[in-house]
Amino acid sequence: MTAVKGNAIVAQSGGPTTVINSSMCGVVEEARKHKCIQKTYGAVNGILGVLKEEIFDFGKEKPQDVAALRRAPAAAAGSCRYKLKALDKSRVDYERILEVFKAHEIRYFFYAGGNDSMDTADKVSKLAAEMKYDLLVMGVPKTIDNDLAYTDHCPGFGSVAKYVATAAMEAGRDTDALYTSDTCTVLETMGRNAGWIAAATGVAHRSPEDAPHLVYVPEAPFSVEKFVADVKAVLKEFGRCFIAASEGIQDDKGRYVAEMGGTFAKDAFGHQQLGGVAETLRQIVESQVGVKCRSNKLGTCQRNGMHFASLTDVNEAYMVGQAAVRHAVAGTTGFMVTLLREKGPRYKCTTGLAKLLDVANAEKKVPRDWINPQGNHITKKLRDYVSPLMHGEAPIDIGDDGLPVFVRLKRKPIPKKCGEWAKG
Amino acid sequence: MTAVKGNAIVAQSGGPTTVINSSMCGVVEEARKHKCIQKTYGAVNGILGVLKEEIFDFGKEKPQDVAALRRAPAAAAGSCRYKLKALDKSRVDYERILEVFKAHEIRYFFYAGGNDSMDTADKVSKLAAEMKYDLLVMGVPKTIDNDLAYTDHCPGFGSVAKYVATAAMEAGRDTDALYTSDTCTVLETMGRNAGWIAAATGVAHRSPEDAPHLVYVPEAPFSVEKFVADVKAVLKEFGRCFIAASEGIQDDKGRYVAEMGGTFAKDAFGHQQLGGVAETLRQIVESQVGVKCRSNKLGTCQRNGMHFASLTDVNEAYMVGQAAVRHAVAGTTGFMVTLLREKGPRYKCTTGLAKLLDVANAEKKVPRDWINPQGNHITKKLRDYVSPLMHGEAPIDIGDDGLPVFVRLKRKPIPKKCGEWAKG
């Protein structure tokens, strides 16, 4: 079989991760090795860059800058949250994507993202086939939420896990030290539907006295009464309590706990105030347990912690980028690269493939037996799963000011060839 | 002059820092070198440990555990926020401290803390002199707030500066990547009265496009109107805006901005809701600028970030601990060790001394000309001051699970010799 000749494009989608640039680096550096791929482009701000024809050429970036993507967090090509309409509702955006691809002789489309992005990639792939346009579409898994099915885990998760678990460990030592006045601390992590990130903090709990003493995830229904009892029990034993909670924890009726604190609250501007999970739990502890409680909300810091990223994660992210290119060049299309954990005592991971459509339609939550029966901590199964993903520390560059140095791409736009985009 | 013979005690006070244990390590390891110091004790939970006679012997800890304090955040001996009454109001607590010191033949008192602690240490020192009890009292500076006078900077500040500036840089890249939907981000830092920590994030702003684009500190009065205009101006130029703000920013009438959001707000439990600065500024941006805004609140994580601590800070913290012992052994009492920055192009720091009482009665804020005239960013003077303090990365131990390993002291209590403490 002869490989399809043409240009390639990489787009980054959705919330950034610590290692999505490492995957992009893997794509770009691998693409250079294949003569059938002439130019490798980047889409500025994800699929929006394709739709708006805002595209840059990785060949015009310094090779050392491309290499440095492996050590830079967030999405150096830019990302977006633009959601395309369902194909049966409107074909306009999909046709526009193919118009731009054709204009720039793009035959390889590498799309790094989560479920929604895999759905988009699948539809682009199918429309191209329908229109008899040779296009090889490969999905590159990316999400801190770790909720993609058909892959053992997602690039981005290992680093956020390492970040939040370390934060729990460090802030936990603060609570240990100051419990005579600041008795409880709540750490809020990301994770709207799946509790993988909050669960990862549980690994820091190496011994009973270690933080976090309590871990709450959306997979186990949350009850205020139970929570208050949990905190009181921990206080009785250790005199202090460190709590980790997913932003998406819900009660047994599916109501977000983050929204409870705001039920009766209006802020200074008349809006209902959604204080977030940490703030809500803090209030519950102070009012119903009667001790001082602090709240920490790591927010977007947690998904960009390149200064202490997991080397395993960074390397695997690069590997999935490389694999996407190799498969595409070999003629594979309509698949996402997956990570396969090999059986055996030592952690080892290789890549596999899953259909884009299958990935798009599934969501992987934390198995119930990876959370304890009480629904307030993890079990050994989760610990054994997460620990190897956090292994190793990725090297970074440090400037004279003692702070990290992260590359910025020049992203010089290539000339446009199509008309203005008429939004679908 | 013959050195006073007896035991020594170290106590840690107030909010933990990344390096207060490094100072304690410096005290304990230096004390071993001086024969006049027989045993070195630790007070469990700061001055409370002295008052309650909860004391442990560092000689019973493994030497490698003591050495590992240099790589452990927070306060391994335990800390507290107990505030002694003014000496002219009640001598009870001060006399109790001396009762416990006498019972355990403690002749050296090393107190690591901020202004209040230096005040306590000073009073203990004076009362001892009055009672003709030979006691050498040395203050060890410790505060992330960097607000102690008579010292160029405070151990603990360099590491929190490195942590928050890196967080601004990393989360800033997130905003760069996702600005088409998540346009603004607010990062809240600690600092109730002095803006040093928020100001340190400004160092991450190496070029105009780099986060943070706006920095607000308590030293420059905050105005909502001005803030909205600032954000709009940045959005016009860059399409995104990253804001760093001290928890203690105030308007021109001295009202905390963190409390503005809660003026009319009651939470689900009927309490006034103080959402914090990040949350308040987020609401202002969303309601008055009209773009989506995220909020990150690092909380106690920022003052315990040993995984990316400043090596300069860790080493200087150790050095002030050592210096405190050397001075005490030489007969100095009633002083705090200071850090002196030597003049010259290369950063170099030695130690000096300041009277405890002088330190207790002063507070060092960010000089107005280290903040720009608009009051929304730092100037080169602040950058030049902070950068060297963040230099180098302190080594830490990492476990098989990919997470840091921080030592825990055994803190086995020594037998009590005094009666119960009757609170002063």
Side-chain angles (χ1 to χ4, degrees), chain A residues 295-343:
Chain A
S295 68
N296 300 334
K297 181 190 166 194
L298 298 169
T300 54
C301 299
Q302 71 197 279
R303 68 183 183 199
N304 297 283
M306 182 51 83
H307 72 276
F308 198 58
S310 156
L311 182 61
T312 302
D313 190 27
V314 169
N315 288 343
E316 289 178 352
Y318 187 87
M319 182 169 77
V320 296
Q322 282 188 306
V325 174
R326 287 183 193 148
H327 282 295
V329 166
T332 306
T333 184
F335 285 81
M336 182 188 83
V337 176
T338 59
L339 287 168
L340 304 172
R341 188 188 300 232
E342 296 192 353
K343 287 208 193 311

Side-chain angles (χ1 to χ4, degrees), chain B residues 25-26 30 34 48 128 131 150 162 169 184 196 223-224 227 232 243 262 291 314 319 339 348 383 406 419:
Chain B
C25 180
E30 180 65 27
H34 300 272
L48 275 183
M131 296 166 76
Y150 304 95
K162 187 171 181 122
M169 185 176 277
C184 292
W196 292 105
S223 132
V224 173
F227 169 67
K232 284 181 177 168
I243 301 142
V291 295
V314 169
M319 181 170 75
L339 288 168
K348 213 185 153 204
R383 177 181 296 274
F406 301 130

Side-chain angles (χ1 to χ4, degrees), chain B residues 307-342:
Chain B
H307 72 275
F308 197 58
S310 156
L311 182 60
T312 302
D313 190 27
V314 169
N315 288 344
E316 289 177 354
Y318 186 87
M319 181 170 75
V320 297
Q322 282 188 307
V325 174
R326 287 183 193 147
H327 283 295
V329 166
T332 307
T333 184
F335 285 81
M336 182 188 82
V337 176
T338 60
L339 288 168
L340 305 171
R341 189 187 300 231
E342 295 191 355

